[in-house]
Short mmCIF file of all heavy atoms in Angstrom, two decimals:
data_model
loop_
_atom_site.label_atom_id
_atom_site.label_comp_id
_atom_site.label_asym_id
_atom_site.label_seq_id
_atom_site.Cartn_x
_atom_site.Cartn_y
_atom_site.Cartn_z
N THR A 1 -9.89 -73.99 176.86
CA THR A 1 -9.43 -75.16 177.63
C THR A 1 -10.39 -76.34 177.55
O THR A 1 -10.02 -77.46 177.92
CB THR A 1 -9.23 -74.78 179.11
OG1 THR A 1 -10.47 -74.26 179.64
CG2 THR A 1 -8.14 -73.73 179.26
N SER A 2 -11.60 -76.11 177.06
CA SER A 2 -12.56 -77.21 176.95
C SER A 2 -12.34 -78.04 175.68
O SER A 2 -12.90 -79.12 175.54
CB SER A 2 -14.00 -76.67 176.95
OG SER A 2 -14.29 -76.06 178.19
N LEU A 3 -11.52 -77.52 174.75
CA LEU A 3 -11.28 -78.22 173.49
C LEU A 3 -10.23 -79.32 173.65
O LEU A 3 -9.24 -79.15 174.37
CB LEU A 3 -10.79 -77.23 172.43
CG LEU A 3 -11.80 -76.17 171.95
CD1 LEU A 3 -11.10 -75.18 171.03
CD2 LEU A 3 -12.99 -76.82 171.25
N ASN A 4 -10.45 -80.42 172.94
CA ASN A 4 -9.41 -81.45 172.88
C ASN A 4 -8.37 -81.06 171.83
O ASN A 4 -8.46 -79.98 171.22
CB ASN A 4 -10.01 -82.84 172.62
CG ASN A 4 -10.77 -82.91 171.29
OD1 ASN A 4 -10.45 -82.20 170.34
ND2 ASN A 4 -11.77 -83.77 171.24
N LYS A 5 -7.41 -81.91 171.56
CA LYS A 5 -6.28 -81.53 170.70
C LYS A 5 -6.67 -81.24 169.26
O LYS A 5 -5.92 -80.60 168.52
CB LYS A 5 -5.21 -82.62 170.74
CG LYS A 5 -5.68 -83.97 170.17
CD LYS A 5 -4.56 -85.00 170.24
CE LYS A 5 -5.03 -86.34 169.64
NZ LYS A 5 -3.96 -87.34 169.68
N ASN A 6 -7.85 -81.70 168.83
CA ASN A 6 -8.32 -81.44 167.47
C ASN A 6 -9.53 -80.50 167.43
O ASN A 6 -10.18 -80.36 166.40
CB ASN A 6 -8.70 -82.76 166.78
CG ASN A 6 -7.52 -83.69 166.64
OD1 ASN A 6 -6.43 -83.27 166.27
ND2 ASN A 6 -7.72 -84.96 166.97
N GLY A 7 -9.84 -79.88 168.56
CA GLY A 7 -11.11 -79.17 168.70
C GLY A 7 -11.18 -77.82 167.98
O GLY A 7 -10.18 -77.18 167.70
N ARG A 8 -12.43 -77.42 167.72
CA ARG A 8 -12.73 -76.11 167.16
C ARG A 8 -13.78 -75.41 168.02
O ARG A 8 -14.68 -76.07 168.56
CB ARG A 8 -13.29 -76.23 165.74
CG ARG A 8 -12.24 -76.44 164.65
CD ARG A 8 -12.91 -76.52 163.29
NE ARG A 8 -11.95 -76.58 162.20
CZ ARG A 8 -12.27 -76.68 160.91
NH1 ARG A 8 -13.56 -76.73 160.56
NH2 ARG A 8 -11.34 -76.71 159.99
N ALA A 9 -13.69 -74.09 168.11
CA ALA A 9 -14.67 -73.32 168.87
C ALA A 9 -15.11 -72.10 168.07
O ALA A 9 -14.32 -71.52 167.31
CB ALA A 9 -14.09 -72.88 170.21
N GLY A 10 -16.37 -71.72 168.26
CA GLY A 10 -16.90 -70.47 167.70
C GLY A 10 -17.81 -69.85 168.73
O GLY A 10 -18.69 -70.53 169.27
N PHE A 11 -17.60 -68.57 169.04
CA PHE A 11 -18.39 -67.95 170.10
C PHE A 11 -18.48 -66.44 169.90
O PHE A 11 -17.73 -65.85 169.11
CB PHE A 11 -17.80 -68.27 171.48
CG PHE A 11 -16.34 -67.91 171.64
CD1 PHE A 11 -15.95 -66.67 172.11
CD2 PHE A 11 -15.35 -68.84 171.32
CE1 PHE A 11 -14.61 -66.34 172.25
CE2 PHE A 11 -14.00 -68.52 171.46
CZ PHE A 11 -13.63 -67.27 171.93
N VAL A 12 -19.41 -65.83 170.63
CA VAL A 12 -19.68 -64.41 170.52
C VAL A 12 -19.04 -63.67 171.69
O VAL A 12 -19.10 -64.13 172.83
CB VAL A 12 -21.20 -64.13 170.53
CG1 VAL A 12 -21.48 -62.66 170.18
CG2 VAL A 12 -21.94 -65.05 169.57
N MET A 13 -18.43 -62.52 171.39
CA MET A 13 -17.86 -61.66 172.43
C MET A 13 -18.13 -60.19 172.06
O MET A 13 -18.26 -59.86 170.87
CB MET A 13 -16.34 -61.85 172.52
CG MET A 13 -15.91 -62.99 173.41
SD MET A 13 -16.13 -62.58 175.16
CE MET A 13 -16.95 -64.04 175.74
N PRO A 14 -18.21 -59.30 173.07
CA PRO A 14 -18.34 -57.88 172.73
C PRO A 14 -17.06 -57.39 172.05
O PRO A 14 -15.98 -57.94 172.29
CB PRO A 14 -18.53 -57.21 174.09
CG PRO A 14 -17.90 -58.14 175.07
CD PRO A 14 -18.13 -59.52 174.52
N ASN A 15 -17.18 -56.38 171.20
CA ASN A 15 -16.01 -55.86 170.50
C ASN A 15 -14.89 -55.45 171.45
O ASN A 15 -13.70 -55.57 171.13
CB ASN A 15 -16.41 -54.64 169.65
CG ASN A 15 -16.99 -55.04 168.30
OD1 ASN A 15 -17.16 -56.23 168.04
ND2 ASN A 15 -17.28 -54.07 167.47
N SER A 16 -15.27 -54.96 172.61
CA SER A 16 -14.28 -54.46 173.56
C SER A 16 -13.27 -55.54 173.97
O SER A 16 -12.12 -55.22 174.30
CB SER A 16 -14.98 -53.91 174.81
OG SER A 16 -15.79 -54.92 175.41
N ALA A 17 -13.67 -56.80 173.91
CA ALA A 17 -12.77 -57.89 174.32
C ALA A 17 -11.60 -58.04 173.36
O ALA A 17 -10.53 -58.53 173.74
CB ALA A 17 -13.55 -59.20 174.41
N SER A 18 -11.77 -57.62 172.11
CA SER A 18 -10.72 -57.79 171.10
C SER A 18 -9.51 -56.91 171.37
O SER A 18 -8.41 -57.19 170.89
CB SER A 18 -11.27 -57.47 169.71
OG SER A 18 -12.40 -58.24 169.43
N ASP A 19 -9.70 -55.82 172.14
CA ASP A 19 -8.63 -54.86 172.41
C ASP A 19 -8.41 -54.62 173.90
O ASP A 19 -7.70 -53.70 174.27
CB ASP A 19 -8.94 -53.52 171.74
CG ASP A 19 -8.57 -53.49 170.28
OD1 ASP A 19 -7.52 -54.05 169.94
OD2 ASP A 19 -9.33 -52.93 169.48
N ALA A 20 -9.08 -55.41 174.75
CA ALA A 20 -9.02 -55.16 176.20
C ALA A 20 -7.56 -55.14 176.68
O ALA A 20 -6.72 -55.90 176.22
CB ALA A 20 -9.81 -56.24 176.93
N ARG A 21 -7.29 -54.26 177.65
CA ARG A 21 -5.92 -54.10 178.14
C ARG A 21 -5.74 -54.79 179.49
O ARG A 21 -6.54 -55.63 179.90
CB ARG A 21 -5.58 -52.60 178.25
CG ARG A 21 -5.81 -51.80 176.98
CD ARG A 21 -5.07 -52.37 175.78
NE ARG A 21 -3.63 -52.29 175.90
CZ ARG A 21 -2.77 -52.84 175.06
NH1 ARG A 21 -3.22 -53.52 174.01
NH2 ARG A 21 -1.46 -52.72 175.25
N ASN A 22 -4.65 -54.40 180.20
CA ASN A 22 -4.34 -54.90 181.54
C ASN A 22 -4.22 -56.43 181.55
O ASN A 22 -3.62 -57.01 180.65
CB ASN A 22 -5.37 -54.40 182.55
CG ASN A 22 -5.43 -52.88 182.56
OD1 ASN A 22 -4.39 -52.22 182.52
ND2 ASN A 22 -6.63 -52.31 182.60
N SER A 23 -4.81 -57.10 182.52
CA SER A 23 -4.66 -58.56 182.63
C SER A 23 -5.32 -59.27 181.46
O SER A 23 -4.89 -60.36 181.06
CB SER A 23 -5.24 -59.06 183.96
OG SER A 23 -6.60 -58.70 184.08
N GLU A 24 -6.39 -58.66 180.89
CA GLU A 24 -7.04 -59.26 179.72
C GLU A 24 -6.08 -59.31 178.52
O GLU A 24 -6.08 -60.28 177.75
CB GLU A 24 -8.30 -58.48 179.34
CG GLU A 24 -9.49 -58.70 180.25
CD GLU A 24 -9.52 -57.72 181.42
OE1 GLU A 24 -8.50 -57.03 181.65
OE2 GLU A 24 -10.57 -57.63 182.09
N TYR A 25 -5.24 -58.29 178.40
CA TYR A 25 -4.23 -58.27 177.34
C TYR A 25 -3.28 -59.45 177.50
O TYR A 25 -2.93 -60.13 176.52
CB TYR A 25 -3.45 -56.95 177.38
CG TYR A 25 -2.18 -56.95 176.55
CD1 TYR A 25 -2.22 -56.63 175.20
CD2 TYR A 25 -0.95 -57.28 177.12
CE1 TYR A 25 -1.05 -56.63 174.43
CE2 TYR A 25 0.21 -57.29 176.38
CZ TYR A 25 0.15 -56.97 175.03
OH TYR A 25 1.31 -56.99 174.27
N ASP A 26 -2.85 -59.70 178.72
CA ASP A 26 -1.92 -60.81 178.97
C ASP A 26 -2.54 -62.16 178.60
O ASP A 26 -1.87 -63.02 178.02
CB ASP A 26 -1.51 -60.83 180.45
CG ASP A 26 -0.74 -59.57 180.85
OD1 ASP A 26 -0.06 -59.00 179.98
OD2 ASP A 26 -0.83 -59.17 182.03
N ILE A 27 -3.83 -62.32 178.93
CA ILE A 27 -4.52 -63.58 178.59
C ILE A 27 -4.62 -63.71 177.07
O ILE A 27 -4.34 -64.79 176.50
CB ILE A 27 -5.93 -63.62 179.22
CG1 ILE A 27 -5.83 -63.55 180.75
CG2 ILE A 27 -6.67 -64.89 178.80
CD1 ILE A 27 -7.17 -63.31 181.43
#
């Protein structure tokens, strides 16, 4: 949500976030 209409982002996340279930899945 911090990106403007032409924006790009790169960031680090734990592997678990790539497959997280429940409400994280919906997001």
Side-chain angles (χ1 to χ4, degrees):
T1 58
S2 295
L3 293 173
N4 61 29
K5 63 180 181 179
N6 298 316
R8 280 181 174 178
F11 54 90
V12 189
M13 274 287 132
N15 277 4
S16 58
S18 305
D19 278 321
R21 306 304 294 173
N22 302 318
S23 58
E24 285 90 347
Y25 167 86
D26 297 331
I27 299 169

